[in-house]
Each structure stands twice: as C-alpha cells, then as structure tokens.
Amino acid sequence: MSVLGLSRYRYPRRRKRRWRTGAVTIGLAAVAGRRRVQGRGTGREAIVLMSDREYDWGDGLKAVSPIRKLRGLLQRTGKGRAGWFTLYTADDTAQTHRVVDLFRELARDRLERDVLKGNVPTARAVYLLAEKSYAAARKEWRAAQGHLPRSDQDEFAPGHLICGYDGDRVPAIYSLDKDGVARSQHESGYSAVGIAENVARERLQWLDLQPTDPLPKVLYACYDAKRRAEGFVGVSKPFYAWVLVLGREQPVRVPPAVLGQMRAIYDALYRSTRPFLSRQQRAPSPADWRRLEARVTGWFGDGAPGRPRG
C-alpha cells in the first residue's frame, strides 16, 4: 500500500461542522416620528415591523401556508397602551415558540398583577424577562439533545426583536441574539435579525435613517433594506409589514396600496442600467414621495393614536 493510502487511516476523520450559524430569514424593526415632551413620548410615534414570510411545507414539497413571524409577548399593558411583541427569525420555530411561552409564564406571575393594578410595565422589566426566558429555553433545548453526538446537535440560535412602549410612552426596540443578551437600539432607532441582518443594518445606516423621521420614509427604508436582503438564500420575496402604535393592542397591517407604491418606487430606481449611483441619485423623485405620503396619510391619518385604518 502506498504512503498516500496509509495516510488516509493514520489521522482521525475530521468532524463535519455546520456551515450555517444563523436563521435563514430576515426581520426588521424601526422607530418613526419619535418626539419627546419632558422625557415622555408624544403618543404619535410608531414602530415599523417587517419580515419575510416563513412557509409550512407540510409533508410534501409544496408550501401549505405562510407563518406569521410576529408573536405577542404582553398583550394587556393598560388602557390606551400597546402591547409588547417579538419579531423572530429561526430555522426551527419550536425554539422561538418556547421562548415566547416561557416569557408569558413568567409575565403571568410577575407583570400581569401590576397591569391589573394600572401600572405599566417598564422596558427594563420586559427585557429582563426576555433574557430569563431565552436562557431557560436554551437550557431545555440542550437537555433534550444531550443524548445526540455533538456533531448532530442543532444549535439553539433564534433571533428576536422585542418591540413595545415603555411606561413613558417612548417606543423601545431590543435585539435578543443567540448569546441571550438583550441590547437596546434606542440610539439608532432600528435593528435587524436573521442571516442578512448585517446587510439590512448597513443599508438602513447608508440611507441615514433616524428615529425622528416620518413614517413614509421609515416604511420605505425598511422595504429597501428587505429587498436588499433577498439576495441571501433563505430570504423569501413575499413579506409582511406592520405598524405598532399606541392605542392599538395589535399591530396594524400595512395595506396593499402602500406596499404597491413602495414596490413601484424601488423597481423604478433600480431598473437603471447604471449600477453605481450616489445617495441623491438613488433617492425617489419628489413626485414619487408625494404619492407615497398621500397613500400613507390616507391610511394612517395624521399619526394620532388609533387612527390607522385596516
């Protein structure tokens, strides 16, 4: 036997490692119209939530139904308030569902009694419970796979964007990554999770998105970032979009008329044969902005709580 043949058996076989480390989806959240009056929110802010659709493939190769990646964490937070929600990305939905279920169990014991008394949960109380529920779900997941070889164990790495309004009516966004630590996105006003999260964040930064920007600009910026993320395998083109406002217990779906207008603007801008254009050259025309603002105003009204239609 040759030396090359012997070398095949001389060294142990290399363990096969998984090449994918994150969820193959995308989720975005951004604050729009943030204003403060003596440290309190004005009540006219909004949180834009956007994600691609996840499909339940059933037993065959045909998609059965889309799964909404938005789940409620804390529904009842007081009169005139909005609930806390999580936008998740995960390869295995059982991971993130267990995180949400554990959060609800902890909240039932620690927060709902305060809510019934009329006290609004603070953002700190919410994200601390999110960290505890994430750690508990990860511990359960690892215990359930303890009998499997390490190379066959699935990684527990769901991504969460926790969104809601704190006791001062200020919109808050926290990102909960696979390390289980909640990070506040108050300064930037936006965040993303999923396999294309870096591309989405860099795109929102390039568009110079600010939490004080009006709702039409924030909606279009999130749509632009989502379209950019479609270049990654696993990010689907169909998507959902919501707006979370005070006075509504549930996020409001963005109507098809607004989504269609944003799609028309994006397709017209990037249908150009010149690939390298400046930020000013890539900006929608004033006429396109007026059409988009008219669509958003017709649906959202003047931004007062409870005004979105649909």
Side-chain angles (χ1 to χ4, degrees):
M1 186 177 294
S2 64
V3 176
L4 294 178
L6 289 173
S7 64
R8 180 180 178 183
Y9 303 97
R10 185 175 301 173
Y11 302 101
R13 297 183 64 182
R14 181 177 299 177
R15 178 180 296 172
K16 183 178 179 181
R17 291 189 176 273
R18 299 178 183 272
W19 62 270
R20 191 171 64 206
T21 59
V24 292
T25 50
I26 187 66
L28 301 104
V31 176
R34 185 169 70 189
R35 297 291 189 275
R36 282 193 174 189
V37 179
Q38 295 180 354
R40 296 179 61 88
T42 61
R44 295 176 178 269
E45 298 87 353
I47 301 178
V48 175
L49 305 169
M50 194 172 294
S51 73
D52 62 337
R53 296 184 183 180
E54 182 179 17
Y55 289 92
D56 181 9
W57 295 93
D59 297 331
L61 298 178
K62 183 178 179 181
V64 177
S65 61
I67 302 174
R68 197 174 73 161
K69 298 181 182 179
L70 185 69
R71 295 200 63 186
L73 295 176
L74 204 60
Q75 302 295 114
R76 298 177 300 172
T77 58
K79 184 178 181 181
R81 301 283 179 173
W84 285 84
F85 295 85
T86 178
L87 193 66
Y88 70 85
T89 59
D91 295 337
D92 192 336
T93 56
Q95 297 179 356
T96 187
H97 288 179
R98 185 54 183 159
V99 174
V100 175
D101 293 340
L102 288 173
F103 182 95
R104 290 175 175 175
E105 292 176 7
L106 293 174
R108 189 180 303 114
D109 298 333
R110 305 188 184 187
L111 296 183
E112 287 193 358
R113 286 178 293 184
D114 294 336
V115 172
L116 293 176
K117 295 178 182 179
N119 300 325
V120 179
T122 63
R124 175 180 172 80
V126 172
Y127 79 73
L128 286 178
L129 283 185
E131 290 180 347
K132 291 181 180 180
S133 58
Y134 191 96
R138 179 172 53 190
K139 183 177 180 180
E140 290 183 0
W141 183 267
R142 291 177 177 176
Q145 296 198 354
H147 65 284
L148 297 175
R150 189 175 181 82
S151 59
D152 295 336
Q153 293 181 7
D154 293 330
E155 185 181 8
F156 185 87
H160 289 264
L161 290 178
I162 303 170
C163 309
Y165 291 81
D166 61 12
D168 293 328
R169 303 193 301 177
V170 177
I173 297 175
Y174 292 90
S175 60
L176 190 64
D177 211 340
K178 61 181 180 181
D179 56 0
V181 179
R183 296 177 175 85
S184 174
Q185 308 297 330
H186 181 78
E187 294 297 330
S188 63
Y190 59 81
S191 187
V193 290
I195 191 172
E197 61 181 59
N198 292 332
V199 172
R201 287 199 191 101
E202 291 175 0
R203 184 59 182 171
L204 294 176
Q205 184 179 5
W206 188 87
L207 292 171
D208 195 23
L209 187 65
Q210 301 295 329
T212 56
D213 288 336
L215 181 60
K217 180 179 179 180
V218 176
L219 274 171
Y220 180 76
C222 291
Y223 178 78
D224 188 302
K226 192 270 170 189
R227 288 288 296 267
R228 291 280 179 152
E230 291 176 2
F232 281 76
V233 176
V235 178
S236 62
K237 292 185 177 181
F239 68 100
Y240 289 116
W242 305 269
V243 174
L244 181 62
V245 294
L246 288 173
R248 288 292 189 94
E249 292 186 357
Q250 296 291 335
V252 185
R253 284 281 299 273
V254 178
V258 176
L259 300 179
Q261 187 64 41
M262 293 191 297
R263 184 181 300 109
I265 294 175
Y266 184 92
D267 292 342
L269 284 175
Y270 293 96
R271 199 178 293 129
S272 172
T273 57
R274 296 179 297 169
F276 301 103
L277 297 177
S278 65
R279 182 182 292 126
Q280 289 75 19
Q281 291 172 317
R282 284 297 190 192
S285 65
D288 289 336
W289 268 125
R290 286 194 294 269
R291 295 190 191 98
L292 180 59
E293 289 175 352
R295 293 283 190 184
V296 176
T297 303
W299 160 64
F300 197 77
D302 60 357
R307 287 298 301 274
R309 305 173 179 88

